[in-house]
Amino acid sequence: MRTMSSILHRKVVTQSGASLGRVYDLRGVASPRTLSVTGMVVGRRGLLEHLGIVRRARPHIPWEDVVRIEGKRIVVRDR
């Protein structure tokens, strides 16, 4: 099991090796008993959203696109 804070600031790359930036925020859905991550906000615009400069930045990467978490990076499906 990973903590949400352990995901933040990791590099995100596609399976083909393209860099998408770092994770600056997570999206989720809360229920009375659980919190489920539904996506990640990455890259430069993700940082601007995290700082409150822009609203709902793109790209938002759906959590189901995560292929694996290895070391200090997250590998996602190619788009």
Side-chain angles (χ1 to χ4, degrees):
M1 179 194 307
R2 300 201 184 267
T3 62
M4 284 195 237
S5 62
S6 73
I7 301 297
L8 295 176
H9 306 292
R10 287 181 188 240
K11 291 181 182 180
V12 179
V13 296
T14 64
Q15 288 176 300
S16 61
S19 177
L20 300 178
R22 292 187 180 270
V23 178
Y24 288 105
D25 214 345
L26 297 170
R27 297 273 183 257
V29 175
S31 71
R33 302 184 103 187
T34 63
L35 176 62
S36 300
V37 175
T38 59
M40 302 178 292
V41 178
V42 302
R44 195 172 287 163
R45 288 196 50 92
L47 175 60
L48 294 176
E49 178 185 329
H50 181 73
L51 296 173
I53 297 171
V54 298
R55 293 185 192 185
R56 289 302 229 193
R58 293 284 175 205
H60 164 92
I61 299 173
W63 189 253
E64 56 267 7
D65 284 356
V66 173
V67 175
R68 65 185 173 277
I69 299 172
E70 56 184 33
K72 295 289 183 182
R73 70 183 197 160
I74 299 170
V75 179
V76 297
R77 287 187 189 94
D78 288 312
R79 297 183 197 203

